[in-house]
Amino acid sequence: MDFFRHRRLARRRSAWLVLLYIAALLATSASVSLVLGTLLAWAYGFAGRPAAYYLPFALGTAALVVSLSLHRIKRLRRGGGEVAAELGGRRLTRREADFLERRLLNLCEETAAAAMLPAPAVYLIDGNTAINAFAAGTERGNAAIGVTRGVLEQLTRDQMQALLAHEFSHIRHGDMRLNQYLSGWLYGLQSIAGSGRYLLEGQDGRGGLEGNGFFDGSG
């Protein structure tokens, strides 16, 4: 396995994600403009220039998506703890930790020392019994690692160490920063989709923890 080749491929796919996001933004703006513009044109008997009906909705939708995304990214820049707290995470401290939680804190410190990284804040998602974990943050200094209750109760010490090493690789190589910014940009599009679903079905369209873009399925 050529690690560096796979890393180059991953970066190339990241560039494609940016292009796909722009395409999704344009498609969303066009769709909203087509529906609302047609309704407005029908109400006024299709009198006047077509651009007057469609262009304002397209520009307004694009501006709304971008502004919502920028607001989300601004919040995410506060650090990985912001993400972990939103997912229901509880920050672990040695003073209040039980045996399993102390073992997790010890392993995080050991892995951080081995990777020559500052020890990140550690959060426990108590309400999730699946085996999963994530690394979040915009830089190494504000990184946080979150693990589910299932990791604590179902994995051995060696298995947990392997899981944490995987998450630390995201911190070291900047994957968490890319993931966090991508999730911030997607927030605007998801808000438009959620608003539409709410109008149609009375649901806000928000997914569970696994739909947030941070859990990576590791473990």
Side-chain angles (χ1 to χ4, degrees), residues 8-151:
R8 287 193 299 270
L9 289 174
R11 290 176 175 173
R12 191 176 304 168
R13 294 191 189 103
S14 299
W16 275 106
L17 287 176
V18 174
L19 296 176
L20 290 173
Y21 174 83
I22 294 174
L25 175 61
L26 294 175
T28 301
S29 301
S31 300
V32 173
S33 174
L34 180 62
V35 173
L36 298 182
T38 301
L39 291 175
L40 184 63
W42 176 79
Y44 283 91
F46 293 90
R49 302 175 65 179
Y53 297 118
Y54 298 101
L55 188 58
F57 289 113
L59 295 177
T61 301
L64 178 62
V65 170
V66 172
S67 61
L68 288 172
S69 296
L70 290 175
H71 174 71
R72 177 64 174 169
I73 289 173
K74 183 179 179 180
R75 290 192 60 187
L76 292 176
R77 283 177 177 169
R78 298 175 185 174
E82 179 82 9
V83 175
E86 286 186 2
L87 296 176
R90 171 174 59 89
R91 184 168 183 176
L92 299 182
T93 61
R94 291 193 176 277
R95 178 178 299 178
E96 301 176 354
D98 59 22
F99 171 76
L100 292 177
E101 294 168 354
R102 284 196 300 272
R103 183 177 69 174
L104 173 61
L105 290 172
N106 290 338
L107 285 172
C108 278
E109 291 179 0
E110 291 173 12
T111 309
M116 293 184 290
L117 293 171
V122 183
Y123 287 79
L124 178 64
I125 315 295
D126 285 299
N128 195 325
T129 57
I131 298 176
N132 222 325
F134 66 90
T138 56
E139 57 188 34
R140 297 176 178 180
N142 63 21
I145 283 183
V147 301
T148 58
R149 172 61 64 176
V151 169

